[in-house]
Amino acid sequence: MKAIRRFTVRPVLPEPLRPLSDLARNLRWSWHTETRDLFRAVDPAAGSAECDPVRLLGAVSAGRLAELAGDEQFLRRLAEASADLRTYLDGPRWYQDQLAGGAELPAAVAYFSPEFGVTAALPQYSGGLGILAGDHLKAASDLGVPLVAVGLLYRHGYFRQSLSRDGWQQEHYPVLDPNELPLGLLREADGSPSRVVLALPGGRSLHAHIWHARVGRVPLLMLDSAVEENAPGEREVTDRLYGGGSEHRLLQEMLLGIGGVRAVRTYCRLTGHPAPEVFHTNEGHAGFLGLERIRELGGTGLDFDAAVEAVRAGTVFTTHTPVPAGIDRFDRELVARHLGDDGELPGVDVEHILRLGDETYPGGEPELFNMAVMGLRLAQRANGVSTLHGQVGREMFAGLWPGFDAAEVPITSVTNGVHAPTWVAPEILRMHGPCDGAPGRTAPADSIPDRELWDLRRTLRARLVTEVRERLHASWRDRGAQAAELGWIDGVLDPDVLTIGFARRVPSYKRLTLMLRDRDRLGKLLLHPTRPVQIVVAGKAHPADDGGKRLVRELVRFSDDARVRHRIVFLPDYGMAMAQNLYPGCDVWLNNPLRPLEACGTSGMKAALNGCLNLSVLDGWWDEWYEPDFGWAIPTADGLAVDEDRRDDLEAGALYELIEDRIAPRFYDRDGEGLPGRWIEMVRRTLRDLGPKVLAERMVAEYVERLYAPAARAHRATDRGAARRLAGWKARVRSAWPGVAVDHVEASAADGAGGSAELGATLVLRVRIALGALEPDDVEVQAVAGRVDAADGISDAQVFPLKPAGGQDLEGRWLYEGPLTLDRTGPYGYTVRVLPTHPLLATGAELGLVALPAESAGDGAGVFLR
């Protein structure tokens, strides 16, 4: 029989145990080993379960609580943990040290993301984007960055995955009760729940409560539409992560962006938290936050264009997708209906809004509203999440900056990092030394003896074997098997066999089944008599992705084969709890996406921090930091004129060859003491040299120094008056730009003649420019020079500013000149261009305006150096 109403009965903790409540409600326990151990001591019988202190305290008996209240040893541990948390929360950190040193940093940063992977006890994530966001918050907390995070509270989370008997993915959506999660409801001074309200077409309203979690020092605000004031349809807006149709997703993103800004304002009003000067949009899902801030500024008398400039100055946009298909795009009419006079932003011209998301570039679709395009137009600073992804992003969005080479598109990169205390096995942390709170620092690994390091690797591998068997047994029971059928599971995997891990989402480009291209060859690798390999695989396909589900079934069916099932396993329901044992227990981490479609790929970073070696295509972060000391690079056939099947055959063959000829022999090559010396040295170098690079503390410090601090300075400089002036200047420049032209270019060389010159020679360029209605202060004139290809395209370009050399001539032209030093040999060329310039522009490409010479203009446009 079912209950007609559900509610949570909270335990009443004895007075000596009251600090347990504070420890449970701050998610720092999710990365603080000593606090987790304390909670496991509350109920040792539940010690092997996933740590969830809130649920644990809700289930422990009154008798056990009374027993603990009289346990002096436990109370001492509790007092130490409570004091340690207070010290952590109140003590100065790296950010405060930077401020004390005179750094100009923002008073606060608002960080918006559609998902957050902080802990398995708060299942509000689907994959890498959410895990990255969770690690960002934890690292910001460790560094003392004054961050306020904003997301949605999904009552069904993402989904739990199981398998049918034939290996087909099954989805389950358990209901999450916020009262059973490590959350609190934000309340007004009178005790009533705080809320945000959005206006919907037809006179409807969308109400949301604001739940908040404490992620160390960082508050995480989560909006929840499951409130009584909403009609049934509106209550379901925050039902599932990435669920529903187009209108459902639009409402989610309106609530995240528009409602999220209102939630931040409410939180700051109630708590006294500093108002954010910088708003960070983690992917386009939260892009509507810019529209809400424009609406706010409209109430201060700024028109739309001036408000856009004020908003852009303090906004950072991070793109995570390397493919256009990964971007949210909505029908323009749907957006207009929800944001027009009958919707959420009355008084704001909806045509202005729609232009922000227009795909006004070759190949764009005029009827669609692109959330990433809006995010870029409303952010003065943007970045990808690895060096290679920054390059891919510049090429993907180059159409927004016509006239500029992709290399000059104003999208930089900050390579992702991972939060070591969350992902590194406690034994590794104790041996290797945790990050000390400064970005990019770990203790040296050189002092760890080979035997100690190798024994620890085996211990972690054995722990993974135990967990795999437990999870595999549970999975087969879910698939309908009887206990009597499952004795074989006790022989699955071996703690002394080379173990390869592969776990991630299952879109087609990640190629879950590349390892199956030659099943006979894979079987020989798994069953080799002296150098066997075992593989642990996990991953979820999106519920709507039948292609991904077919890949899962293909892998599962292979791993079900009685001949190999003790050497390869698929574990359903991949998530944070599984990952935290999977990364430390593997010897090699496999990643074989289609290059360059992996934006970053942080799972390999987590593995590396545990001494696991990477075996990966040169994509994402691995393209940037690969060294032979850290693992192996899988050769790729990208860029070759081969079809997909041939490409996959080639790359799978390269993968098998690496395992057969290099990886397995090195793992099993033992000295007289039974130690694989060369393998251990690779592990040591991975911990010592790669570890500091992949830390989230390094990543967040880069965001602070390269993006947040400049954005804060720009925000302060772009007050209402400056925003009006900047908007007016941009309008004037755009209007006058058709009159800007490069009329004539001439060059005189210090030596050399004809079409050649010697290295070190200097060309003196003289250029005549037509500026029309503009003045010299409105523009910058540049020479752009570098090596040229057969079509005269300039690569590896250098920019040389040219200076005014007098006033206007009789024809109204302006003369500019400057030196161009020839510092490279080979085919060399240059061109001249004119860009707008203004003190409040972050880059000359910002407006997307450039004037270039006609192809026939000038003399000596190319030089061959000898």
Side-chain angles (χ1 to χ4, degrees), residues 12 50 114 122 126 157 163 213 218 221 307 340 426 435 536 541 604 641 762 779 785 822 825 833 865:
V12 178
E50 297 173 5
L122 189 61
S126 70
L163 301 172
V218 173
L221 311 180
C435 175
V536 182
T762 298
V779 301
L822 307 179
T825 58
R833 67 184 182 184
L865 298 189

Side-chain angles (χ1 to χ4, degrees), residues 82-96:
S82 181
D84 184 77
L85 177 61
R86 287 196 302 273
T87 299
Y88 175 86
L89 296 177
D90 298 336
R93 297 303 223 182
W94 171 82
Y95 195 88
Q96 289 68 39

Side-chain angles (χ1 to χ4, degrees), residues 88 255 347 378 393 647 800 832:
Y88 175 86
L255 183 58
L378 286 178
R647 176 203 62 210
F800 302 87
V832 173

Side-chain angles (χ1 to χ4, degrees), residues 121-139:
L122 189 61
Q124 301 290 304
Y125 62 91
S126 70
L129 176 68
I131 300 300
L132 179 278
D135 282 8
H136 195 106
L137 303 195
K138 295 172 190 176

Side-chain angles (χ1 to χ4, degrees), residues 418-421 424 428-448 605 608-611 683-698:
V418 297
H419 187 243
V424 177
I428 294 280
L429 279 179
R430 285 193 291 267
M431 174 186 285
H432 177 57
C435 175
D436 63 1
R441 296 178 61 185
T442 55
D446 288 335
S447 60
I448 307 171
M605 294 178 168
L609 282 173
N610 285 282
V683 171
R684 191 187 314 281
R685 293 193 179 191
T686 295
L687 292 171
R688 183 191 67 199
D689 300 335
L690 181 58
K693 296 180 180 180
V694 302
L695 292 178
E697 287 83 357
R698 184 271 313 155

